[in-house]
């Protein structure tokens, strides 16, 4: 199966009179070289179940199907459904489209009892909430290969003592190994966004931290006032942070950006143990 045999994506958009709706974060990848590179970054996709959010005109979907994946694509914008119809026929039963909002979809309903990878050129306006939703997801979720704005990608993979390090890095790295794979310049998209994007690959840790909701609360307080010492910043979480910090073996005068993944896990455990 070779996606080069399909009509050019630009011609398809024109034939259907479709234009990008910026309110839905629509910046399309029409160059198959880039979408093939994203698909190959995701590893061997032959016969793998994959969830893609926002197929739009289907550039990445074509590359995923060409690589042998079984794709369930969730698209909010109904205008694209007629354009995607021929792709369903071409896929020989390996593509299904769900019209809806990916934030509200229950992925368990889509993937039976198999683990699905998530591979997507994400709409920027909902990229972060979708990532957090998937980090918290249960057993249906496999590895993720996702396009974000470059600045968000850097925040996901950031290490302590850097400006980009914050809540998103701690949450993502509590569940996954996170790697920034490559940057995609703004001009690669139609229409081009204002800034560059980057592909992040997130693979599951052997020892994922299970209490992500609690970790989210702790990191929200800790980084909510990131310039303050933790003994003050954590008052947003609890009236007396100091005993928790000592219990977690963290210096109460430290700042959030100095605390690594294991430190945040210990702090969250101390807070959970002390919470009624
Ligand atoms: N995958 C296509 C590509 O790479 O050319 C389009 C990517 S574009 C950045 C984002 C896509 O997500 C658009 O098709 C948009 O309509 C869709 N979208 C936006 N918000 C969505 C949501 N909440 N749920 C599902 N799809 C959404």
């Amino acid at each position: 199966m070779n996606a080069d045999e399909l009509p050019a994506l630009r011609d398809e958009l024109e034939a259907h009179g479709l234009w990008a709706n910026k309110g839905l974060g629509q910046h399309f990848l029409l160059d198959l070289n880039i979408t093939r590179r994203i698909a190959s970054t995701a590893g061997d996709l032959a016969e793998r179940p994959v969830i893609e959010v926002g197929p739009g005109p289907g550039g990445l979907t074509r590359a995923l199907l060409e690589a042998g994946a079984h794709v369930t694509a969730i698209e909010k914008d109904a205008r694209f459904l007629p354009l995607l119809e021929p792709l369903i026929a071409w896929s020989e039963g390996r593509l299904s489209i769900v019209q809806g909002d990916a934030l509200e979809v229950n992925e368990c309903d889509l993937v039976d009892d198999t683990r699905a990878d998530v591979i997507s050129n994400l709409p920027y306006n909902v990229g972060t909430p979708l990532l957090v939703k998937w980090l918290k997801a249960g057993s249906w979720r496999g590895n993720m290969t996702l396009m974000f704005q470059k600045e968000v990608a850097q925040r996901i993979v950031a290490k302590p003592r850097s400006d980009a390090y914050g809540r998103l890095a701690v949450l993502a790295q509590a569940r996954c190994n996170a790697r920034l794979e490559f940057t995609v310049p703004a001009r690669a998209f139609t229409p081009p966004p204002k800034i560059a994007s980057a592909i992040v690959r997130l693979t599951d840790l052997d020892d994922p931290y299970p209490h992500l909701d609690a970790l989210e609360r702790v990191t929200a307080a800790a980084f909510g006032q990131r310039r303050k010492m933790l003994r003050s910043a954590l008052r947003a979480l609890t009236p007396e942070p100091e005993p928790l910090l000592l219990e977690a073996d963290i210096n109460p005068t430290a700042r959030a950006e100095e605390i690594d993944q294991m430190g945040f896990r210990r702090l969250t455990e101390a807070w959970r143990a002390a919470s009624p």
Side-chain angles (χ1 to χ4, degrees):
M1 182 178 264
N2 186 335
D4 291 324
E5 67 202 35
L6 293 163
L9 286 157
R10 205 174 288 278
D11 296 345
E12 290 281 86
L13 283 168
E14 246 180 62
H16 287 81
L18 288 172
W19 64 97
N21 174 346
K22 286 196 183 163
L24 285 172
Q26 290 178 350
H27 299 280
F28 304 128
L29 288 171
L30 305 182
D31 179 348
L32 207 53
N33 292 316
I34 296 180
T35 54
R36 280 179 175 142
R37 188 171 175 203
I38 298 171
S40 72
T41 300
D44 181 5
L45 295 178
E47 302 302 328
R48 281 209 53 81
V50 167
I51 291 181
E52 182 196 2
V53 165
L60 179 56
T61 322
R62 290 180 179 195
L64 297 173
L65 291 169
E66 190 182 64
H70 289 252
V71 182
T72 304
I74 307 162
E75 176 55 64
K76 189 169 178 182
D77 189 344
R79 297 179 308 154
F80 286 97
L81 302 190
L83 186 156
L84 292 166
E85 279 294 323
L87 209 52
I88 297 177
W90 184 72
S91 77
E92 297 171 342
R94 288 187 293 114
L95 173 63
S96 53
I97 312 275
V98 176
Q99 204 231 316
D101 185 335
L103 282 169
E104 283 161 20
V105 161
N106 181 357
E107 291 87 352
C108 296
D109 296 341
L110 308 179
V111 292
D112 304 330
D113 48 352
T114 39
R115 273 165 71 83
D117 285 0
V118 188
I119 306 175
S120 178
N121 171 18
L122 288 174
Y124 295 144
N125 41 352
V126 288
T128 304
L130 282 171
L131 173 62
V132 173
K133 178 188 181 202
W134 294 328
L135 290 169
K136 290 178 179 173
S139 56
W140 67 266
R141 183 183 61 70
N143 296 325
M144 300 186 275
T145 306
L146 304 171
M147 177 93 76
F148 295 93
Q149 286 171 299
K150 188 176 171 190
E151 173 257 334
V152 177
Q154 286 166 332
R155 287 203 280 126
I156 295 166
V157 304
K159 297 294 175 206
R161 297 173 193 275
S162 66
D163 286 347
Y165 186 63
R167 173 181 156 261
L168 204 52
V170 179
L171 290 182
Q173 295 169 37
R175 288 287 167 95
C176 299
N177 279 308
R179 238 173 84 120
L180 196 158
E181 295 285 348
F182 60 93
T183 299
V184 182
R187 64 172 185 281
F189 297 85
T190 304
K194 289 201 177 73
I195 41 180
S197 298
I199 285 286
V200 176
R201 176 135 168 88
L202 297 121
T203 50
D204 277 350
L205 291 174
D206 294 334
D207 64 336
Y209 183 65
H211 305 295
L212 225 63
D213 286 321
L215 184 62
E216 212 177 4
R217 296 271 307 273
V218 171
T219 51
F223 287 101
Q225 293 178 296
R226 60 185 293 142
R227 301 279 163 236
K228 286 200 173 168
M229 294 176 191
L230 283 169
R231 69 179 175 205
S232 316
L234 289 178
R235 287 212 190 98
L237 182 73
T238 177
E240 282 198 61
E242 208 145 327
L244 293 187
L245 288 160
L246 295 174
E247 174 70 28
D249 204 16
I250 294 172
N251 186 338
T253 62
R255 290 171 173 77
E257 66 177 33
E258 298 167 47
I259 309 305
D260 65 7
Q261 174 65 218
M262 288 305 163
F264 273 111
R265 289 186 186 198
R266 290 195 305 275
L267 183 57
T268 305
E269 285 309 296
W271 178 63
R272 290 181 66 246
S275 302

